[in-house]
Amino acid sequence: LVYINNMLRVEDKARVRKGEHMIGYVSALAVLGICSYEDIKNRSVHTGLLLLFTIEGILLWVFAEKHPVVEIVQAILPGLSVLLAAFITKGSIGEGDGVILLIIGLLLGGAFALRIFMYALFFCACYAIFLLIIRKKNRKYEIAFVPFMLLAYIGEVALQNL
């Protein structure tokens, strides 16, 4: 897995150096920034905004490069998995989180979206443990997840450019 992850990072670095996907990187930052603010403030994400970025991601896939169907399925698989988990848990996991992850997959690829999701889970878990230790919140407290995806995104982009 480490070897595969390193290969994916090398491929991502090459794409950034060639200038490919810059629209995707800027769009992902925009959607994560705006949705982080909304998630913290309202505990929900505006559906119209998500639809707009989803359409942009689909258009980038269609017009930017020729992609095999398997690659498109891999790109949206992390987001679809979170959406399935949201459906199974009857809303304990936010559907907006799954849609945002789906958008990141469309914009930057499935491997990138999966890394963002895993890092965000780690950061969110650390924050939840911190809140439990200081006894400020109980385990029923709902934590906004999108800001952790933003933090993970910034960290991943910074690591790619080292």
Side-chain angles (χ1 to χ4, degrees):
L1 290 175
V2 172
Y3 176 72
I4 293 170
N5 189 29
N6 289 337
M7 282 179 42
L8 293 171
R9 286 181 186 273
V10 169
E11 182 182 320
D12 288 343
K13 281 184 181 181
R15 286 180 177 175
V16 171
R17 272 192 227 110
K18 289 192 295 187
E20 295 177 20
H21 299 304
M22 287 312 278
I23 294 172
Y25 280 95
V26 172
S27 296
L29 181 62
V31 73
L32 286 170
I34 294 167
C35 292
S36 290
Y37 174 76
E38 282 191 12
D39 200 15
I40 292 170
K41 186 176 177 188
N42 305 325
R43 298 279 187 225
S44 66
V45 180
H46 191 268
T47 310
L49 181 68
L50 294 178
L51 181 63
L52 178 71
F53 279 105
T54 303
I55 291 169
E56 178 190 10
I58 291 168
L59 290 175
L60 284 174
W61 271 97
V62 170
F63 294 114
E65 299 175 17
K66 301 289 184 201
H67 295 285
V69 174
V70 172
E71 200 172 314
I72 295 170
V73 171
Q74 288 174 343
I76 63 173
L77 200 58
L80 289 177
S81 300
V82 173
L83 282 171
L84 179 64
F87 176 74
I88 291 170
T89 62
K90 295 180 176 67
S92 293
I93 299 171
E95 293 172 5
D97 301 330
V99 174
I100 291 171
L101 203 58
L102 191 135
I103 292 168
I104 292 172
L106 284 171
L107 293 172
L108 301 171
F112 192 93
L114 189 58
R115 286 195 305 268
I116 295 299
F117 181 64
M118 298 310 268
Y119 294 150
L121 279 177
F122 174 75
F123 293 142
C124 189
C126 291
Y127 180 68
I129 291 169
F130 173 75
L131 289 178
L132 286 172
I133 289 173
I134 64 168
R135 298 184 192 270
K136 187 165 182 155
K137 303 291 180 189
N138 63 18
R139 63 181 211 91
K140 296 286 184 183
Y141 180 70
E142 292 182 10
I143 298 173
F145 188 67
V146 182
F148 295 102
M149 284 198 280
L150 175 62
L151 178 64
Y153 173 81
I154 291 169
E156 179 66 20
V157 171
L159 286 175
Q160 278 186 354
N161 292 321
L162 288 179

